[in-house]
Amino acid sequence: QVQLVESGGGLVQPGGSLRLSCAASGSIRSVLAMGWYRQGPGEQRDLVAHISSGGSTKYEDSVKGRFTISRDNAKNTVYLQMNRLKPEDTAVYYCNVLASAGPRGYEYDYWGQGTQVTVSS
């Protein structure tokens, strides 16, 4: 079993910055891909940023140049640095981790509990 704990959300003015963190713990054998998703009011949950085990990153078009995803493999933690935030970024942000865990080492997707990000003046 793998548990993900998110932190760093909150209220910020347009143009401000926040950094989200997501730490994985439990019976982890290996953490593979990691990513951040978000779900705004009345919207589906969409991928925001993704980072592979090799460090390759991908971003949703609307956040390119503003958001940066990174990971600390020693801490099993993924971060999302969000700069120049816009009201349209308001959403619940969820981290996602693909990890091998348990005695058999099967790979599963695990989800964080979500953290609210509100961008408003």
Side-chain angles (χ1 to χ4, degrees), residues 21-45:
S21 299
C22 177
S25 62
S27 56
I28 300 171
R29 290 195 176 193
S30 179
V31 175
L32 304 175
M34 310 179 86
W36 289 94
Y37 291 71
R38 68 185 180 187
Q39 186 170 18
E43 301 178 354
Q44 66 182 41
R45 186 177 300 185

Side-chain angles (χ1 to χ4, degrees), residues 1-4 24-29 99-103 105-106 108 110:
Q1 186 180 13
V2 175
Q3 299 82 42
L4 306 181
S25 62
S27 56
I28 300 171
R29 290 195 176 193
S100 61
Y106 292 150
Y108 295 98
Y110 298 91

Side-chain angles (χ1 to χ4, degrees), residues 10-92:
L11 175 65
V12 66
Q13 293 187 338
S17 298
L18 287 173
R19 190 180 78 152
L20 306 183
S21 299
C22 177
S25 62
S27 56
I28 300 171
R29 290 195 176 193
S30 179
V31 175
L32 304 175
M34 310 179 86
W36 289 94
Y37 291 71
R38 68 185 180 187
Q39 186 170 18
E43 301 178 354
Q44 66 182 41
R45 186 177 300 185
D46 293 324
L47 179 67
V48 177
H50 174 275
I51 184 166
S52 71
S53 60
S56 178
T57 60
K58 294 182 178 180
Y59 298 91
E60 194 274 328
D61 287 342
S62 68
V63 308
K64 288 181 179 178
R66 299 189 298 121
F67 291 10
T68 302
I69 187 171
S70 62
R71 61 192 290 172
D72 185 335
N73 292 331
K75 298 180 179 179
N76 288 330
T77 299
V78 60
Y79 306 93
L80 186 67
Q81 178 66 47
M82 304 183 293
N83 298 324
R84 292 147 51 203
L85 283 160
K86 304 175 180 179
E88 305 93 277
D89 297 318
T90 295
V92 178

